[in-house]
Amino acid sequence: MISNLQKIFKFGAQNFARNFWLKILTIVILTVLLLLINGLVIINFLTNEASRQVQSKVDVSIYLKTSATNEEAQSLRSYLMSLANVSNVTYKSSDDVLKEFKETHKDDQDILSSLTFLETNPFGGALVVQTVNVNDYNTVLKQLDTPIYDKIIENKDFGDNEKLIEVINRMTSFVKQFIVLISLFFALIAVIVIFNTIRMGIDAHRHEISIMRLVGAANWFVKGQFVVELLIYSTIAAIASLILIFPIISVIQPNVLAFFNGQAGDIFAYYRANIFGLFALQFVGIFAFSLLSAWFALGRYLKK
Amino acid sequence: MIEFKNVSKIYPPDFVGVKNISLRIQDGEFVSVIGKSGSGKTTLVKLLMAEEPISHGELKIGDVEVTKIKRNEIPSLRRQIGAVFQDYKLLPRKTIFENVAYALEVCGINNKRIGEIVPQVLRVVGLEGKEGRYPLQISGGEQQRAAIARALVHSPKLLVADEPTGNLDALNTQEIIELLKKINSLGTTVLLVTHNREVVNALKKRVVTLDMGMVVGDAEHGRYKI
């Protein structure tokens, strides 16, 4: 068995060395396809980063009635903090809320002067809630729909955020679908390229293959050589695309960081953290699609 | 033993390759199959090598029923049958040693064993000293010897020679026939397929005559006349 494998690798490597420029061209095409797929990976990363950035700024404000005591507010805060899908709850006293209101409307003298007619602070305290996942806000708000909290809660302000989150979810979902579709298109191109390379290889080695079969080589031995060739293509293309992607990242990285104000979008860090996973994914992907092509290309020929 | 029982091969749509052939070849026999072009000689070889499926009848080579053979069993059958052809089927970029070793390499035989077997068969066919030459650097007769050496590396029970002298002059033809006789004397069954009646008549061995895909003659020490 070991001897068989050694021979298959030897013959596969020899086949690879023949028609060298055709093989190089195939590798170049596969590398370009992988680079384009890496582009999609980067788009996916940036979309997620943008979505994460926006979502981190999303919160829901729970306005309390003026009659709600400090103890009741703290009790509600403790309850919210105990929920697994809540990441942070900030309490604002009625004075803080009034101060914020004045700050927001500092240019509107009518509103500010109307406040002076009131003898007491018209605002109650507020709780600003952030959840682990942006989709958890509705769940959290539903949990507050009980008579106990109804008597201290004046209003829950989530309307605009809800629309925003819906847009973000729709956008990320669209980007993901787009990426899958484009990746499948690239995969199809890879399958066609490999298919034709193998068929050309078969044509070039037709005489040799016929002799192999004449002297009793098993079909899997003949196929095995092509699998070794595909292994070589896939490895070189996956390594080349990962090497070439770094200079490309270095060109786009400053613009991306500027867009995120340096707070997110570090593509380098993403690639460094996921280098082995990305390599494995690209290698396995290109190799699997190559095997599929080989199966089509060799199947019909070896049945003869 | 090789046994054809009412074997027919029909190529689509209705071209008859061989028709209703019944033939029995004992182990160690030297049988010549002769006939005009289109008489079914090559079809017979293709059926033996399991290159074409049999349309009707049964074909047995030793214990193997070729009629019922599975696709993954064909390589093993081919290792039991050495085959040589008119065009030698050598690889021009490989030396004679590499060409002969090739048959062992593609079957996964290790280099040590290859180093033992190849010089032996090259000695049997008289090519010792020419291992390092390329096919185009030796004569047609020597190329055919190299092809015969390659056919022998698996120690086959049967050697099928399909027009092995077709490209050779009289002297080389005689040498190849003598070599086939020598291989036969060592115990290998030889099936010589040819249209050269001088070769067959000189052999004085069993002759099977084909015509229009059918066996029209089968004689010990036969002479072929048309």
Side-chain angles (χ1 to χ4, degrees):
Chain A
M1 190 64 196
I2 290 168
S3 180
N4 264 321
L5 284 174
Q6 280 176 345
K7 302 288 178 192
I8 287 173
F9 272 90
K10 178 187 161 188
F11 279 74
Q14 281 175 351
N15 286 350
F16 179 78
R18 289 176 200 157
N19 285 330
F20 184 71
W21 290 108
L22 171 69
K23 309 297 165 66
I24 291 295
L25 184 67
T26 305
I27 289 173
V28 168
I29 294 171
L30 292 180
T31 305
V32 170
L33 288 174
L34 284 178
L35 280 174
L36 290 171
I37 288 174
N38 273 292
L40 295 176
V41 168
I42 291 171
I43 290 173
N44 186 48
F45 166 72
L46 293 178
T47 310
N48 287 339
E49 283 286 274
S51 166
R52 197 170 57 80
Q53 282 284 299
V54 174
Q55 288 181 14
S56 70
K57 292 185 170 66
V58 170
D59 53 36
V60 59
S61 297
I62 299 167
Y63 295 103
L64 304 178
K65 290 180 177 170
T66 48
S67 57
T69 63
N70 196 36
E71 288 72 29
E72 283 172 325
Q74 289 303 333
S75 155
L76 178 57
R77 181 174 182 270
S78 304
Y79 169 71
L80 286 167
M81 284 298 287
S82 70
L83 298 175
N85 41 13
V86 170
S87 63
N88 190 35
V89 182
T90 312
Y91 174 65
K92 291 177 185 170
S93 67
S94 54
D95 292 339
D96 293 335
V97 175
L98 178 64
K99 208 166 134 189
E100 261 183 29
F101 184 84
K102 284 181 177 167
E103 179 63 27
T104 311
H105 299 94
K106 64 183 176 195
D107 299 327
D108 194 336
Q109 283 306 314
D110 293 340
I111 290 178
L112 291 180
S113 59
S114 64
L115 281 176
T116 56
F117 290 106
L118 299 171
E119 289 176 2
T120 55
N121 181 350
F123 300 106
L127 291 167
V128 180
V129 182
Q130 283 189 309
T131 57
V132 177
N133 191 309
V134 78
N135 295 315
D136 292 334
Y137 283 108
N138 280 323
T139 318
V140 171
L141 292 178
K142 271 184 192 149
Q143 281 173 296
L144 297 177
D145 285 340
T146 61
I148 307 166
Y149 298 120
D150 273 352
K151 63 179 187 187
I152 61 165
I153 295 173
E154 176 76 38
N155 191 18
K156 293 171 231 165
D157 179 16
F158 187 56
D160 289 346
N161 286 339
E162 199 168 12
K163 281 178 196 156
L164 179 67
I165 288 161
E166 208 180 300
V167 170
I168 290 169
N169 284 343
R170 268 215 305 268
M171 192 183 76
T172 49
S173 160
F174 171 77
V175 169
K176 278 189 168 63
Q177 283 173 11
F178 173 78
I179 285 170
V180 169
L181 210 68
I182 297 289
S183 301
L184 285 176
F185 175 69
F186 289 154
L188 182 71
I189 295 174
V191 167
I192 293 168
V193 169
I194 296 274
F195 179 87
N196 282 304
T197 306
I198 291 175
R199 289 312 296 245
M200 286 165 89
I202 290 172
D203 282 341
H205 304 151
R206 197 172 283 275
H207 179 56
E208 196 169 336
I209 294 171
S210 75
I211 292 170
M212 268 186 214
R213 300 179 71 196
L214 173 73
V215 297
N219 271 350
W220 60 262
F221 186 92
V222 180
K223 286 180 183 173
Q225 299 165 52
F226 287 96
V227 172
V228 169
E229 273 193 74
L230 298 177
L231 208 62
I232 299 172
Y233 293 145
S234 309
T235 310
I236 296 177
I239 291 173
S241 77
L242 276 187
I243 290 172
L244 291 174
I245 197 70
F246 282 99
I248 295 170
I249 292 172
S250 69
V251 172
I252 58 173
Q253 180 75 89
N255 296 324
V256 171
L257 283 175
F259 180 80
F260 287 104
N261 290 325
Q263 291 176 349
D266 191 345
I267 310 170
F268 268 128
Y270 174 72
Y271 264 79
R272 273 198 301 271
N274 298 288
I275 186 91
F276 293 112
L278 285 168
F279 174 77
L281 195 72
Q282 289 176 43
F283 171 74
V284 170
I286 205 81
F287 187 55
F289 280 107
S290 302
L291 280 182
L292 186 72
S293 312
W295 186 69
F296 281 121
L298 289 167
R300 272 183 58 206
Y301 178 78
L302 291 178
K303 267 183 199 160
K304 288 178 193 170
Chain B
M1 189 174 70
I2 302 160
E3 192 171 14
F4 290 80
K5 265 192 201 170
N6 304 316
V7 170
S8 296
K9 173 65 190 176
I10 315 289
Y11 292 100
D14 55 4
F15 176 75
V16 176
V18 291
K19 190 176 174 186
N20 216 21
I21 284 187
S22 291
L23 202 60
R24 188 179 281 190
I25 298 167
Q26 299 295 340
D27 289 343
E29 260 195 286
F30 192 125
V31 179
S32 301
V33 176
I34 193 157
K36 291 181 285 187
S37 288
S39 60
K41 303 186 300 290
T42 301
T43 301
L44 204 71
V45 172
K46 285 185 174 175
L47 296 181
L48 275 170
M49 301 296 292
E51 271 189 59
E52 294 283 353
I54 292 160
S55 306
H56 305 290
E58 284 175 34
L59 169 56
K60 258 179 108 172
I61 302 173
D63 300 330
V64 181
E65 284 202 42
V66 181
T67 330
K68 295 176 184 168
I69 199 164
K70 292 176 189 154
R71 231 153 58 89
N72 62 354
E73 293 167 345
I74 293 174
S76 153
L77 171 75
R78 287 182 183 160
R79 286 175 215 170
Q80 294 174 42
I81 306 171
V84 289
F85 298 89
Q86 183 174 352
D87 58 357
Y88 323 130
K89 295 192 188 298
L90 296 174
L91 295 164
R93 288 183 195 170
K94 289 188 185 287
T95 64
I96 296 307
F97 183 97
E98 288 166 344
N99 263 289
V100 176
Y102 191 74
L104 294 167
E105 283 204 283
V106 298
C107 296
I109 309 295
N110 65 50
N111 291 343
K112 185 170 174 279
R113 191 84 190 98
I114 290 171
E116 290 163 4
I117 296 171
V118 176
Q120 278 176 24
V121 289
L122 285 175
R123 208 162 27 249
V124 169
V125 301
L127 280 180
E128 65 267 60
K130 299 200 169 167
E131 302 89 339
R133 299 210 186 161
Y134 289 90
L136 292 176
Q137 294 174 326
I138 57 176
S139 71
E142 287 170 328
Q143 288 184 52
Q144 193 58 283
R145 283 168 184 270
I148 292 171
R150 188 182 61 195
L152 292 178
V153 288
H154 291 301
S155 307
K157 293 173 192 161
L158 169 66
L159 177 65
V160 178
D162 188 2
E163 303 280 8
T165 59
N167 282 344
L168 303 179
D169 59 23
L171 184 65
N172 277 311
T173 296
Q174 190 52 40
E175 282 178 6
I176 292 298
I177 295 301
E178 287 305 319
L179 178 59
L180 292 177
K181 280 164 80 175
K182 179 181 165 188
I183 291 162
N184 178 239
S185 72
L186 295 171
T188 305
T189 307
V190 175
L191 187 74
L192 170 66
V193 176
T194 182
H195 66 273
N196 188 333
R197 61 183 157 174
E198 282 81 18
V199 167
V200 173
N201 292 340
L203 268 168
K204 295 190 174 64
K205 300 273 185 182
R206 183 181 168 191
V207 179
V208 173
T209 309
L210 293 182
D211 190 28
M212 296 179 75
M214 291 185 285
V215 174
V216 293
D218 186 351
E220 284 296 329
H221 309 296
R223 289 181 66 80
Y224 177 68
K225 292 173 266 180
I226 279 193

